[in-house]
Amino acid sequence: PVIRTPEARTNMMKLSQRMITAFCANISASGSQSWTALSDSTDDTVRITTRKNTEPGQPSGVILTAVSTSWLPFSHQQVFELLADEQQRCQLEILSNGGSLHEVAHIANGSH
């Protein structure tokens, strides 16, 4: 296994929580943030924004956030079930530019 000890699992969960929190904070629109489309095309859904990092304990500098959206013709529950089911997850490979998706580690975190 990739994650060998309970301490490593705990550290991985803490790291993933910090990453998710930072990601959500960076993509959350605020009055001071404006998003710029990388193209004038209406089909292009890639947008970027920048902000200065002023959080204590973090390196100073500029944070560049880029997002892209994809519309899936499914309900949010169907998408969750697709992501959660390792046997069906290969259906998402078309979204990974031909790359293969595989689970590196599984950490149980509640009933889901």
Side-chain angles (χ1 to χ4, degrees):
V2 175
I3 302 173
R4 300 181 193 280
T5 66
E7 181 183 16
R9 286 176 182 260
T10 300
N11 289 338
M12 182 60 72
M13 291 298 293
K14 288 178 181 177
L15 173 62
S16 66
Q17 185 62 47
R18 286 195 316 267
M19 291 172 67
I20 290 168
T21 300
F23 175 77
C24 290
N26 287 331
I27 66 167
S28 295
S30 70
S32 63
Q33 261 182 320
S34 63
W35 291 88
T36 304
L38 292 182
S39 165
D40 290 333
S41 168
T42 56
D43 295 333
D44 188 356
T45 60
V46 177
R47 299 187 184 281
I48 62 168
T49 189
T50 59
R51 69 175 177 86
K52 286 190 106 177
N53 188 17
T54 58
E55 295 180 34
Q58 297 291 322
S60 62
V62 175
I63 296 173
L64 170 69
T65 303
V67 296
S68 177
T69 57
S70 296
W71 181 82
L72 299 173
F74 307 109
S75 71
H76 68 278
Q77 185 63 37
Q78 289 171 308
V79 172
F80 177 83
E81 289 170 1
L82 181 66
L83 291 169
D85 185 349
E86 189 175 351
Q87 301 302 316
Q88 293 185 26
R89 199 174 300 148
C90 63
Q91 295 176 32
L92 295 174
E93 288 183 0
I94 193 167
L95 299 176
S96 67
N97 295 324
S100 176
L101 300 175
H102 63 281
E103 186 174 280
V104 175
H106 180 87
I107 300 173
N109 185 13
S111 62
H112 298 305

